[in-house]
Amino acid sequence: MNGFWAGSDGRTVAALAAVAVAAVLYMIAAGPLDRAVRERSARVERLERDIVWMRDAAQRIRDTGPAGSAVKGSLLAFADQTLQQAGISSAVERIAAENTDSVRVWFGEVEFARLAGWLAKVSEAGVRVSECRLDGRDRGQVKGEVRLKRP
């Protein structure tokens, strides 16, 4: 082996040293990069499952609402009261009546499971969820708006 190095010119030695350094740097960086790619892939898969579940839950909520509304008073008051009962009123950024039969609720970050529970209660009372726009956040949180209507 010493004979090889002794018989090699400076360029060959420099080229081999550069290749060796590059290989070591690649091995050092490949582990963390591979781990980061796997973590991101797992997160994407998890989020895709969440989206499928959210769409299914939204469809179930739409499908289970009764034909008539049991809400006799103000729809705005009903929405406010049920939000408090569901424990998510603190996430409400704004709530406004569009008319006597329609209310729009804007949410900051709220746990999706709690929001879905509230939407189910609203639907059970005969109020229709006519619009629901939600943006997913981290750890099951969503942000968005919901429009409620009397049937």
Side-chain angles (χ1 to χ4, degrees):
M1 190 75 175
N2 283 337
F4 172 77
W5 291 113
S8 299
D9 65 355
R11 287 185 188 173
T12 304
V13 172
L16 288 174
V19 168
V21 168
V24 168
L25 290 176
Y26 175 77
M27 287 187 279
I28 290 171
L33 287 175
D34 183 53
R35 185 175 52 250
V37 167
R38 280 184 286 149
E39 287 173 359
R40 293 290 180 189
S41 295
R43 184 168 185 246
V44 167
E45 288 174 12
R46 203 169 46 250
L47 291 173
E48 287 173 344
R49 284 192 307 269
D50 287 349
I51 288 171
V52 168
W53 183 85
M54 286 179 192
R55 287 183 179 149
D56 289 345
Q59 188 61 46
R60 281 193 308 273
I61 290 169
R62 280 192 295 271
D63 292 346
T64 58
S69 174
V71 178
K72 299 298 179 207
S74 160
L75 187 57
L76 179 65
F78 169 77
D80 187 49
Q81 179 184 16
T82 55
L83 285 163
Q84 289 177 16
Q85 290 170 348
I88 58 174
S89 60
S90 61
V92 174
E93 292 179 345
R94 183 174 169 220
I95 183 170
E98 296 180 320
N99 54 47
T100 57
D101 293 330
S102 180
V103 171
R104 192 173 294 267
V105 184
W106 290 265
F107 292 95
E109 289 194 9
V110 61
E111 184 180 330
F112 179 76
R114 285 179 162 227
L115 179 63
W118 174 70
L119 291 172
K121 284 268 190 213
V122 165
S123 292
E124 288 170 6
V127 176
R128 193 167 61 99
V129 178
S130 64
E131 288 180 41
C132 185
R133 289 188 217 131
L134 302 174
D135 293 322
R137 303 290 186 203
D138 287 337
R139 294 179 299 278
Q141 300 285 312
V142 293
K143 180 179 180 170
E145 65 181 90
V146 173
R147 183 177 180 210
L148 305 176
K149 285 188 94 172
R150 289 184 205 263

